[in-house]
Amino acid sequence: MKAAVLLFPGSNREGDVARALKHVTGVEPAIVWHAETALPAGTDLVVLPGGFSYGDYLRCGAIAARAAIMEAVRAHAARGGLVLGICNGFQILCESGLLPGVLVRNARLRFICREALLKVERIDTPFTRRYAKGAVVRFPVAHGEGNYTADAETLARLEGEGRVAFRYVMADGKRDDTQVLNGAANSIAGILSEKLNVLGLMPHPENHVDPLVGPTDGRALFESIAGMLEKA
Amino acid sequence: MKARVLVTLKSAVLDPQGKAIEGALRSLGVPGVASVRQGKVFDVELDGGDSAKAEATLKEACEKLLANTVIETYRIEFVG
Amino acid sequence: MKARVLVTLKSAVLDPQGKAIEGALRSLGVPGVASVRQGKVFDVELDGGDSAKAEATLKEACEKLLANTVIETYRIEFVG
Amino acid sequence: MTVLDTPAKEPQITPQLVADHGLKPDEYERILKLIGREPSFTELGIFSAMWNEHCSYKSSRLHLRGLPTKAPWVIQGPGENAGVIDIGDGLAAVFKMESHNHPSYIEPYQGAATGVGGILRDVFTMGARPIAALNALRFGDPAHPRTKHLVAGVVAGIGGYGNSFGVPTVGGLVGFHTRYDGNCLVNAMAVGLAEADKIFYAKATGVGLPVVYLGSKTGRDGIHGATMASAEFGEGAEEKRPTVQVGDPFAEKLLLEACLEIMAAGCVVAIQDMGAAGLTCSAVEMGAKGDLGIELDLDKLPCREEGMSAYEMMLSESQERMLMVIAPGKEDEAEAIFRKWGLDFAIVGRTTDTLRFVVKHKGEVKADLPIKELGDEAPLYDRPWVETPKQQRIDPASLEISATIPGALERLIGSPDFASKRWIWEQYDHLILNNTVQRPGGDAAVVRIEDGPKGLAMACDVTPRYCEADPFEGGKQAVAEVWRNITAVGGTPLALTDNLNFGNPEKPEIMGQLVGCLRGIGAAALALDFPVVSGNVSLYNETHGRGILPTPTIGGVGVLADVEKMATIAFKETSEIILVIGETTGWLGQSAFLSEILDREEGAPPPVDLALERKHGDFVRELIAEGLVSAVHDVSDGGLLVALAEMAMASGIGASLLAEPAEVNPHAFWFGEDQARYIVTVSGGEKATVFKRAESAGVPIAKLGSTGGDKLTIPGERPIVIDALRERSESWLPIYMGAGMM
Ligand SMILES: Nc1ncnc2c1ncn2[C@@H]1O[C@H](COP(=O)(O)OP(=O)(O)O)[C@@H](O)[C@H]1O
Ligand SMILES: [Mg+2]
């Protein structure tokens, strides 16, 4: 599998995701500078990492979404290539229109770093096929603006088309939209594009791949992608 | 030439910051505030003095970058 | 009664956001923008119609909460 | 503001102007003698920056000299931007702590944020990539009207900067006391990792080399509070000269990447960040350390505002800036790297062989000063000091105690100093970089180095109550507690950084606190082989004539050979044996129990026997390394019962405790703060081995009880439900911060 991790000024979890990819797949991903206009030939997966691209100034992800490399990402996605946006990467995908909706400030207005429980909503996607059906997993969140918002029509469409990939749940495994840690609509933690080849999610699977530093629930996400591409 | 761009949340969009400020003002004992909504203001200096051109520039800036029209609206004002 | 409070950084205070936006506009090819400074705007609804009282309330709100006068200045405008 | 643009209109040097620059008349005399003429306005500014307390350490320098700073593993002790220690495998840990107290009180968000920015810069200036941050915070009484606002702003500012920069904030401390009502303390610590043979220093070498300015542009930030207020600058001065800087973590992140890149490319001869007193301090230091002169051409300086004068440029404290001497022929390569990261790069001067510090602006020489004397000849004071009177030992039998033991525990656990600080550290990204092996909440944070198995343990501590009652013992205790916390996770403590926060040193009692604490710190650092490699002094923390509690915050770093063997405080299993290592006499003087439950801050603080500290700590570390113990926690303020409660809350497992020994007062036994103690748990099978080992090592050890159930039970007392205790602990801060906060 050939993965490319984009690097914007102010990205800061590119190393974490590159390390996770290496850990799980054994292959070092390419790091691609935002000012490039093309992805490395043969790229299967594009990752938009977490961080504070452009300081999160103006709106999170807004300035990065207009970077030169994003044209290539758009084309890659249109071809059906896989795109994974984590945290700031998710914000960039929304700002660039590759995913609908927007991530606004956490309802309690504070940055929050903690482990969150997530329900894997479907396992027939390139990103989740190694999870068990209905699995509840633990990924950490680390964001100040992860409160997913979209208009009612968009939300209805996302739900109707089964495009919610991950949802925050409570300790009992059930969702409670009134208690969700960041206020996200419908407890949404991650969503998919129409063709299921673009995933944006706020929590950080890349920080839960190594037993030495915590749970390893994030591994299966990277294994899913790798396994999927091997088969292809 | 100086202009001001105001970017505010659409009225249907929830504004937790505004709500928090309302609460904080109440607990600080500032009376008579019924509601607060928070937005952004950009003070922009433009080259040249052609106001039609300036307006076009600002409109482009808003559409391309300054506002996320999914949740925000913008307004352009000239200050002098 | 409606008012608008503008809170902006004092002119000599660094505005990293404004700086980043200038850069972004330049690289997006929006021409003619010399500088951008970002501030906050609060749209406030006040009880009652006494504008002197409203002004006093808003001033108090600014001093106590909305602005940090060490680095920011504020301006109160009545909208109608 | 055109006044400063035209040299003719520069203010006359008057006694008032000199005083406004914080220079005493005799200090000004010293300047006149040194240069043999009246200084120019710019020169006066330069002297005021170089000779103020912050840069010259004029009140503390004499006493700092007594600190032990050497050990075979120390690569760089005090005197550079940060201390450097060898941690094996060709790697070095680079760390320092620094205060940003006053700015944080004025503008909590930006003050704290720029404090974090400053300390991160100190670390990466040495060529190290920051891998962890910590912060020690002291606020006033929670009931004080400003406290909540300060907590909210400071915490958001620390998080706002560190999270964006991309360093995990993994530890720290937070305390409340009315003596900080008018002066909160924000002490930020950063730890970085570098290759041991690739450390960069401020010392310039080579004549005629370009001096390069990098980073953000210079504005009128933070230019001298005193001068700012002076009438000569006329109306609108305040608008033009903010004393509080705004941090730009985004620019700093770019600066980090760009600096590490040009260092790796071999472009850098010397480097110095621009912190306090900005360009002045950094340029003088680079030249003076290298026995070289420096000539600056301010026309080349990247400025954010128009019409800045030489005076303003030399004194600006704009953030996210660096000064470097670039290797011959490497200018273009270095510049290309900086441009790629979108940062300013300008050659603003060159090194000379004249030993003069020359500043030119608009065709005029604005300053021409002997560079070495600027630092070397700074005033040095042996300020009068008096020893803090000793207090009596408190006899527990003399105390009237109505609280039950469970009741007292519940109150302590729910009190501001002991309650969980989760509300704070959850606002810090403590997981980024994916190396945080021990997260906040334990004795020390542990960060894995690269892919392991090695790790660094780090902690910061100080008990100001002890320091006020007995500066010498308090200073010792602060060092011992950090050392103990590193030990308790299995780390070998290597070196420390200190941040000395005190009141007005011109008062002999305050100076006595400083001297006493420093002696205590020195004694402990020496006895524990835990040298001081960096630090910072913050004086004049006073409001209305009342100083803060003496607060010498100590930050320590240690190494773990294998993070998989690391210990944590949580009980691991039921039916394990709980042991206390070290002697419990029931020392209540200056204890949290006395202060929180009896509302008395009295008596002598617990004495620290450094030989015992070392013996007990070494013993515990061995037990951890050999896997003989399952949970480990040091015993500090709050005593045994608070420590046990913390171990229980961390795990959800309770404990049946034995009755206290007959010869010790029960409250004193459970809440006394005797030093050099640890609680460990062992399985039934290991108990005999551990006791035998303790006996042969001559270490006191006693059984406290065994783990199990969901309560803490003490014979004859009402059981304490762990869940309820945890609820108390977790709820205080959110409830306190909840009401009416933004
Ligand atoms: N209390 C102290 N103990 C040991 N070293 C100290 C202490 N205070 C300052 N130093 C050392 O003195 C030097 C100058 O400190 P400082 O001026 O705070 O550095 P910077 O200019 O980087 O802010 C540093 O090397 C620092 O480690
Ligand atoms: Mg420094």
Side-chain angles (χ1 to χ4, degrees), chain A residues 27-47:
Chain A
V27 185
E28 196 97 45
I31 302 285
V32 178
W33 185 240
H34 68 103
E36 300 288 332
T37 50
L39 294 164
T43 296
D44 300 304
L45 167 73
V46 176
V47 182

Side-chain angles (χ1 to χ4, degrees), chain D residues 130-145:
Chain D
I131 58 164
L134 299 93
N135 55 97
L137 311 177
R138 299 276 168 188
F139 299 104
D141 186 336
H144 187 276

Side-chain angles (χ1 to χ4, degrees), chain D residues 103-143:
Chain D
S104 300
Y105 191 79
I106 299 177
E107 209 313 299
Y109 185 97
Q110 296 298 344
T114 49
V116 172
I119 196 65
L120 288 168
R121 219 149 45 238
D122 274 338
V123 163
F124 71 77
T125 302
M126 310 275 315
R129 181 176 282 278
I131 58 164
L134 299 93
N135 55 97
L137 311 177
R138 299 276 168 188
F139 299 104
D141 186 336

Side-chain angles (χ1 to χ4, degrees), chain D residues 71-87:
Chain D
W73 54 89
V74 173
I75 296 175
Q76 175 65 51
E80 283 284 339
N81 285 307
V84 184
I85 55 172
D86 190 334
I87 55 167

